[in-house]
Amino acid sequence: MPRPPRALRLAPLAPLVLALLCAVPGAQAQNNAVAPTPAQVAPEVDKAYTQLMAAPAIQKLLEAVKADHDRAVEDLKMLTEIEAPPFKEQKRAEAFLARMKALGLADAKIDAEGNVVGLRKGTGNGPKLLISAHLDTVFPAGTDVKVKEHDGKLHAPGIADDTRGLSVLLSWLKVLNDNKVQTVGDLLFVANVGEEELGNLRGMKAIFRDHLDIDGMVGLEPSPDGNVLILGTASHRYEVTFKGPGGHSFGAFGQVPSAIHGMGRAIAKIAEVRTPSFPKTTFTVGTVGGGTSVNTIAPDARMAIDIRSDDMASLLETEKKILAAIDEAVVEENKRWNVGTLSASNKLIGDRPGGRTPSDSVMVEAAIRSNTTFGHKTLLRGGSTDANVPMSYGIPAIIIGSGGKSTGFHALSESIDVTDAWKGAQNSLVTVLGLVGVQGVSPALLPKRPARTR
Ligand SMILES: [Zn+2]
């Protein structure tokens, strides 16, 4: 989504405007692929998917996904109509938990952060795969979330991003249980909070803080068939405040520094910071504000800075230069008037770690092979999602779609066409089953990792 226009003055940072800046994979659709798709997958990956698709039990399971379509759409409508603004996901979490329990995960619960977590155990000694979708939407409390049907589509804010993912997780749980499919690895079902902007991935950060034995993650987000997100762009955002004594523009001249002049010096220095184009690293002073009146030496000034990179080290290097520029600017402004009364402070208002899942990893090859089975060419994408968190730990993670054609993420006009959406739910489930393996059908492909320590 393009950035919406922002008011020049910083004012109180409007949550909705900030929320609108969140990136979802679909929002990156105009971007190029972040890596070429490997032409071939490893023989063991190929073999596992051949075994899966040849197994009558799996064919029956996939038929069940199709047969569950209408019921899953009812879950989709029910969950969409429970609003879930950032930090206010609780009601939707409770509804999701109730469905999870009804569909057979009796031990599921809501954790301290607000995530719904349920473990479906494998045969033992297999890998543990986190499968997730996020509960929160960008829309503030009071938004009309009633689902409307017209033009062959379902319309409601949040219905695609990411309520479709939530309803597909529930559908998978139902069909796996109804058909008594025993996976080798464990499936950790999670409906998490805090994916959208102000949430700063708090839900996923808590999951990886509390569960040190997760071997991989497959997240569901609205995404065209065949798209696989493998890159998590990291971002840091700062609000910087300059403060001085202020004074009359004529009477106090020569005795006090200006907060606005100091900030101007900082912005001039920041504008000269150089960043690599690969890994892509960017920065901008997005908003400025401050001052009292035209004839007042400004006592205050504020700006908001966004720093992003496809590589964490590059981001930190750029951040260091920007913070140093601010300190230098304060020194220069004080020196200009021979005072020491201007100061600057900064606050980290956005913190998303980043990383990358290698395109030749089992995780990505599994998705590629599964996509091939369903007739889709794979496109490897980047973005900023829940997968940033596992990627930052080096844990293989991808974000894939789960069916349906959606448009207008983060806009009130958001909609999804669920015609044949069950095909996407099958495709993504097959990706997952190859990774964790199915008893008597195929081995678990996802390697087990040594458990992390805190
Ligand atoms: Zn999303």
Side-chain angles (χ1 to χ4, degrees):
M1 306 274 291
R3 276 167 167 264
R6 308 256 330 245
L8 183 65
R9 285 182 66 94
L10 194 55
L13 292 169
L16 174 63
V17 177
L18 266 187
L20 284 167
L21 303 179
C22 167
V24 294
Q28 308 283 326
Q30 67 275 39
N31 290 0
N32 293 327
V34 296
T37 302
Q40 279 189 324
V41 301
E44 69 267 23
V45 173
D46 188 59
K47 187 178 169 198
Y49 283 89
T50 303
Q51 289 169 331
L52 272 174
M53 297 311 290
I58 300 302
Q59 288 304 321
K60 191 167 154 255
L61 180 74
L62 296 182
E63 280 304 312
V65 171
K66 182 180 177 183
D68 192 46
H69 174 79
D70 289 343
R71 194 209 55 79
V73 170
E74 288 310 309
D75 269 352
L76 171 63
K77 291 181 191 166
M78 181 273 290
L79 289 167
T80 300
E81 291 183 352
I82 303 170
E83 63 176 23
F87 299 98
K88 291 177 187 161
E89 299 100 334
Q90 194 184 342
K91 269 182 72 182
R92 186 182 282 194
E94 284 164 1
F96 188 89
L97 176 65
R99 297 295 299 130
M100 222 181 201
K101 287 185 168 177
L103 295 173
L105 277 188
D107 294 340
K109 61 177 174 44
I110 297 179
D111 71 12
E113 194 68 39
N115 301 306
V116 186
V117 183
L119 182 66
R120 188 175 188 275
K121 284 215 170 93
T123 54
N125 290 319
K128 180 180 278 188
L129 180 68
L130 165 65
I131 49 178
S132 68
H134 63 88
L135 289 161
D136 56 325
T137 74
V138 298
F139 302 98
T143 302
D144 179 7
V145 288
K146 184 102 187 100
V147 178
K148 296 167 184 94
E149 298 193 46
H150 52 87
D151 315 326
K153 296 181 198 169
L154 302 175
H155 302 256
I159 193 161
D161 184 11
D162 191 19
T163 322
R164 167 67 188 170
L166 294 173
S167 67
V168 169
L169 285 183
L170 292 172
S171 182
W172 288 356
L173 180 59
K174 175 176 163 55
V175 298
L176 287 169
N177 285 344
D178 286 355
N179 291 277
K180 301 185 174 58
V181 171
Q182 179 63 64
T183 56
V184 178
D186 296 344
L187 288 173
L188 188 65
F189 281 79
V190 167
N192 62 283
V193 297
E195 195 272 347
E196 300 292 1
E197 194 57 40
L198 290 173
N200 266 327
L201 309 180
R202 68 186 179 96
M204 212 34 86
K205 286 174 181 171
I207 292 289
F208 281 89
R209 199 163 55 228
D210 296 347
H211 303 265
L212 299 172
D213 59 349
I214 295 172
D215 298 299
M217 179 253 203
V218 174
L220 300 180
E221 286 270 17
S223 183
D225 292 329
N227 276 18
V228 179
L229 182 145
I230 62 162
L231 173 73
T233 302
S235 69
H236 280 180
R237 286 170 178 183
Y238 282 92
E239 187 174 26
V240 184
T241 308
F242 293 76
K243 279 204 182 310
H248 192 278
S249 62
F250 193 73
F253 188 79
Q255 301 154 37
V256 296
S258 161
I260 288 181
H261 293 197
M263 188 166 85
R265 291 176 190 273
I267 293 171
K269 288 174 188 291
I270 290 167
E272 286 302 323
V273 169
R274 299 285 188 256
T275 57
S277 46
F278 185 84
K280 186 173 179 180
T281 304
T282 66
F283 63 88
T284 199
V285 176
T287 61
V288 296
T292 306
S293 70
V294 68
N295 56 346
T296 301
I297 297 171
D300 65 272
R302 283 157 291 148
M303 63 178 172
I305 307 172
D306 174 270
I307 311 166
R308 297 185 185 216
S309 181
D310 287 344
D311 174 69
M312 205 62 206
S314 250
L315 183 144
L316 294 175
E317 182 66 26
T318 303
E319 176 180 88
K320 212 167 116 186
K321 288 178 187 167
I322 287 173
L323 296 178
I326 293 164
D327 289 343
E328 286 165 24
V330 169
V331 168
E332 286 176 16
E333 176 66 11
N334 277 325
K335 202 171 157 207
R336 165 71 180 80
W337 307 104
N338 211 9
V339 293
T341 44
L342 181 71
S343 63
S345 60
N346 62 62
K347 192 172 144 205
L348 188 66
I349 55 171
D351 177 12
R352 288 179 173 234
R356 177 189 275 266
T357 302
S359 54
D360 60 354
S361 61
V362 161
M363 173 65 73
V364 178
E365 289 194 351
I368 293 169
R369 181 60 177 80
S370 175
N371 286 344
T372 304
T373 295
F374 285 83
H376 302 303
K377 266 186 80 171
T378 295
L379 206 56
L380 301 177
R381 296 282 193 195
S384 178
T385 66
D386 279 327
N388 280 37
V389 178
M391 286 173 183
S392 74
Y393 288 115
I395 297 171
I398 53 172
I399 299 283
I400 54 178
S402 60
K405 290 190 179 64
S406 42
T407 52
F409 315 120
H410 297 194
L412 293 171
S413 60
E414 187 168 335
S415 72
I416 186 166
D417 177 354
V418 291
T419 310
D420 294 343
W422 50 269
K423 290 180 184 171
Q426 289 179 336
N427 186 350
S428 43
L429 177 57
V430 166
T431 301
V432 164
L433 291 178
L435 289 165
V436 291
V438 177
Q439 192 183 28
V441 176
S442 68
L445 289 170
L446 183 66
K448 279 179 74 165
R449 301 167 55 83
R452 287 176 300 126
T453 46
R454 254 173 235 272

